[in-house]
Amino acid sequence: RIQDVRIEGNSVMSTNDITRTLAITSGQPFERKNLLAAAEELRRAYERIGYHNTKVEIEFDLPSDNEVRVTAAITEGRPIKISEIAIDTPNLDLSQRLGRMARSLKGRTLTDDELLDFQKKAGEFLRENRYLTARMADPNVTYNGDRTQAKLSYSIENPFRFEIRLEGNKYFSDGAIIRDLE
């Protein structure tokens, strides 16, 4: 059985969050494969917050024949910062407009939340500006040699803007009709 669980080397994530992610508690049966899976899950949790270089080592020692002391030794490393964003589309106007939106990402830590937030804003922009069939693919991420900077490349499929012409309408405004069309 596990006698004690120690966490060492963390500063970005709290000890409580790490303990919750590891799901290892005192008194539970000791199984090596569960510890290795827990270490991998903790490493993925660090990746989600931008620390892709984090190393997690699970060490254990035996103070007695039926007890194990577990230590999670964490080396967090540096976070990955977004250094460049490229928008790949044959529509140069759309590329420039999305490029201006993407500038806010430059210099920020590469996290899942940052990527999802940008993709959501870009999707709203496409819809509001009548790029009705345009689809933004998930980014292609390339890293520098020491994995401290990332370049994001987004590809836009069907970058065509639709224009809606209304004829014969006298009662409703064109804007009201377009809003109701969604």
Side-chain angles (χ1 to χ4, degrees):
R1 294 210 170 270
I2 296 175
Q3 175 195 33
D4 186 28
V5 179
R6 294 183 185 153
I7 312 291
E8 297 176 352
N10 62 309
S11 62
V12 175
M13 285 182 75
S14 72
T15 302
N16 288 339
D17 287 343
I18 291 172
T19 303
R20 199 173 17 262
T21 302
L22 288 173
I24 301 170
T25 59
S26 299
Q28 102 182 45
F30 172 75
E31 291 195 37
R32 185 182 211 127
K33 66 180 180 181
N34 291 347
L35 292 175
L36 296 176
E40 180 59 23
E41 180 57 34
L42 180 59
R43 192 190 60 71
R44 282 194 299 267
Y46 267 98
E47 274 187 6
R48 285 190 291 273
I49 61 170
Y51 285 78
H52 294 244
N53 298 317
T54 298
K55 292 178 178 47
V56 178
E57 294 183 30
I58 302 289
E59 303 164 352
F60 43 89
D61 59 275
L62 305 164
S64 67
D65 290 341
N66 57 357
E67 291 184 321
V68 177
R69 208 177 283 139
V70 177
T71 303
I74 302 166
T75 307
E76 292 174 334
R78 293 181 15 211
I80 294 180
K81 299 288 185 179
I82 300 170
S83 63
E84 189 178 340
I85 301 101
I87 308 292
D88 181 31
T89 178
N91 184 332
L92 294 178
D93 180 54
L94 178 61
S95 177
Q96 290 173 349
R97 293 173 81 180
L98 287 174
R100 281 192 296 274
M101 283 178 63
R103 283 187 201 147
S104 65
L105 287 175
K106 210 169 188 180
R108 299 186 85 144
T109 301
L110 177 65
T111 65
D112 292 349
D113 290 342
E114 289 286 349
L115 294 179
L116 290 173
D117 187 46
F118 173 71
Q119 287 174 280
K120 182 179 174 184
K121 286 178 184 175
E124 288 172 5
F125 170 82
L126 292 171
R127 189 175 56 255
E128 289 171 0
N129 288 279
R130 298 187 310 274
Y131 291 94
L132 303 177
T133 60
R135 297 288 170 252
M136 178 182 270
D138 287 337
N140 180 21
V141 182
T142 53
Y143 304 98
N144 66 346
D146 59 354
R147 289 182 58 98
T148 57
Q149 294 186 345
K151 176 184 177 185
L152 305 179
S153 298
Y154 286 96
S155 177
I156 310 293
E157 298 172 8
N158 300 321
F160 308 110
R161 184 175 183 176
F162 285 79
E163 185 173 314
I164 299 173
R165 292 186 186 185
L166 303 171
E167 295 178 4
N169 171 42
K170 293 185 179 165
Y171 184 71
F172 295 102
S173 72
D174 289 352
I177 292 173
I178 290 173
R179 271 192 305 279
D180 288 343
L181 288 174
E182 294 183 19

